Amino acid sequence: MAAVKMPESTNSAFKEWAVVVDALGNGEQVLILRKGGIHEQRGQFRVEHRQFWLFPTRYHEAATSVIPSKRAALQELAGQARADTVAIQFFAEVTDVHYLASREGIRRLQGQHIWSEPVLQQRFEFGREPGLHALVARVSALPAPVRLPWREAYGGCKSWVELEQPPAVTALTPALDELAFQQQRAQIAELLSAYGLAHL
């Protein structure tokens, strides 16, 4: 499977818990699971971009929202937070989008991510219709985080923001090598296709 060609630059960024961004950036998972924010149209998530920066947040985070082995990392990252800047280091390329229309999809993906099952069940039930989007993302890292000034436009319960001063998409190192990424990607596809879940 051919790698996604990276653009020279992009302003688009995807907001996700800092502890999940850390797991994606360290190759611990390749999944992004999202329902949608209250400020998004009808509370529904849309995959507006296939390539974007990961924008770490700490809104709504709680120790019980992640598996026990990641709770120490959650607390450590919270202690590093700064109100005046946001640290951008990881770039993501979405290769696959699945839609989980059944709780069975959540069950099948256990072990493929760091969220706790109760928080995913809450996300699944949130909004007018049950369901979750499952994005498979190839993540790469800059050599060091780039701290950008915080802007009011970055706030709120929404998935996507546009960075005013995005880092250059250069000198990126994949979190996983090609073989390891494709193995995880294939495993997720197999887990979901066995139940007949939708691939978008």
Side-chain angles (χ1 to χ4, degrees):
M1 302 177 186
V4 178
K5 184 179 180 180
M6 293 186 182
E8 293 182 1
S9 65
T10 181
N11 292 67
S12 302
F14 179 83
K15 296 174 69 175
E16 183 55 272
W17 292 352
V19 68
V20 175
V21 170
D22 183 68
L24 289 162
N26 287 316
E28 297 174 49
Q29 68 183 61
V30 299
L31 272 176
I32 297 173
L33 298 172
R34 181 55 57 96
K35 179 70 175 206
I38 59 175
H39 292 167
E40 292 171 316
Q41 187 175 14
R42 300 181 64 188
Q44 295 298 312
F45 173 72
R46 290 186 301 140
V47 186
E48 297 180 10
H49 309 282
R50 290 278 181 156
Q51 298 177 317
F52 46 83
W53 295 102
L54 291 169
F55 188 110
T57 73
R58 287 160 186 86
Y59 301 116
H60 312 306
E61 280 189 340
T64 55
S65 297
V66 297
I67 59 177
S69 62
K70 293 300 295 183
R71 291 173 185 173
L74 186 152
Q75 297 300 326
E76 181 181 352
L77 290 165
Q80 299 171 2
R82 289 173 51 178
D84 60 336
T85 62
V86 58
I88 303 293
Q89 184 174 13
F90 302 113
F91 189 81
E93 309 165 357
V94 173
T95 59
D96 305 271
V97 180
H98 304 274
Y99 187 71
L100 310 182
S102 163
R103 289 176 178 269
E104 177 67 12
I106 296 175
R107 188 190 69 78
R108 284 181 170 269
L109 292 177
Q110 287 180 354
Q112 301 292 324
H113 57 76
I114 68 166
W115 288 281
S116 66
E117 186 172 354
V119 77
L120 291 183
Q121 295 290 356
Q122 290 173 3
R123 288 187 181 187
F124 181 87
E125 295 294 343
F126 177 78
R128 299 185 180 187
E129 297 180 3
L132 280 177
H133 287 84
L135 283 61
V136 178
R138 181 80 189 271
V139 175
S140 300
L142 293 170
V146 175
R147 287 205 167 268
L148 304 180
W150 176 262
R151 298 288 184 255
E152 186 176 348
Y154 300 159
C157 189
K158 54 190 175 185
S159 298
W160 302 102
V161 295
E162 292 296 309
L163 301 176
E164 289 189 12
Q165 301 171 325
V169 188
T170 57
L172 291 170
T173 301
L176 295 170
D177 63 35
E178 183 69 14
L179 177 60
F181 172 74
Q182 296 298 348
Q183 287 175 337
Q184 288 200 38
R185 180 186 182 191
Q187 184 176 13
I188 290 167
E190 182 178 359
L191 287 169
L192 296 180
S193 64
Y195 191 69
L197 295 168
H199 175 79
L200 306 178

